[in-house]
Amino acid sequence: MTRTPGKTSARLVARTAAATIALCLATGVGGAYAYWATVGAGSGAAANGTMATVTVEALVAGDTPQTTLVPGDTADVAVRAYNPNNYAVQVYAMRGNGSPTADTNHPGCTTTGVTFVGPAAPLTPALSIPANSSTLITLPGAATMSTTSSSGCQGASFSIPVTLEARK
């Protein structure tokens, strides 16, 4: 059997091509395996900041509710809130936190009949307190006074303890 130069050359090209394809496949599969099978390890760190307490202050001069409280009706509640943080906070909710009391000039107001009916959470519309500042918050119709209130409560101002929930 004699080989012809054209057949040898074609066989050599076919073998070379097959070997090249096999080598490319082996390298490609190995590279893909190395890419997907690589395992790494490391560590990271982060610091958690603490939000300072947003406080509810007594009303200051000039802060007055728009409506007054009378037996059998509702009135606005005015609250001044102070945000000591370096960023704005969102007031999420306000809830009653104790029994309302009359001012000291009305000792005959033994039964106030006053109840705080705070708004549903979350507050709508949303209320934001800017960084390092205080804001007067007026809650329309948030106080009620029953008809069983003492007559000594006439003309009294009431302190209504509340808890304010703020979020960043």
Side-chain angles (χ1 to χ4, degrees):
M1 207 160 119
T2 59
R3 292 190 176 160
T4 58
K7 287 184 180 181
T8 304
S9 174
R11 283 184 188 165
L12 181 61
V13 168
R15 285 183 185 167
T16 303
T20 303
I21 290 172
L23 182 61
C24 287
L25 284 174
T27 304
V29 168
Y33 174 77
Y35 176 79
W36 292 108
T38 300
V39 176
S43 64
N48 185 15
T50 302
M51 185 169 120
T53 302
V54 175
T55 57
V56 177
E57 304 172 328
L59 298 180
V60 296
D63 291 346
T64 55
Q66 299 296 314
T67 58
T68 56
L69 196 55
V70 295
D73 205 357
T74 64
D76 297 347
V77 172
V79 175
R80 181 160 291 277
Y82 175 68
N83 174 18
N85 296 290
N86 291 326
Y87 47 84
V89 296
Q90 180 92 22
V91 177
Y92 181 77
M94 242 190 263
R95 296 176 183 86
N97 187 20
S99 299
T101 56
D103 62 65
T104 56
N105 294 332
H106 293 82
C109 185
T110 55
T111 303
T112 66
V114 176
T115 305
F116 180 73
V117 186
L123 289 182
T124 13
L127 178 68
S128 183
I129 304 173
N132 299 307
S133 66
S134 67
T135 301
L136 180 65
I137 302 169
T138 301
L139 303 169
T144 63
M145 185 178 211
S146 73
T147 55
T148 61
S149 300
S150 301
S151 61
C153 296
Q154 292 180 23
S157 292
F158 298 96
S159 294
I160 302 173
V162 296
T163 296
L164 180 140
E165 182 180 339
R167 299 178 180 180
K168 182 173 180 190

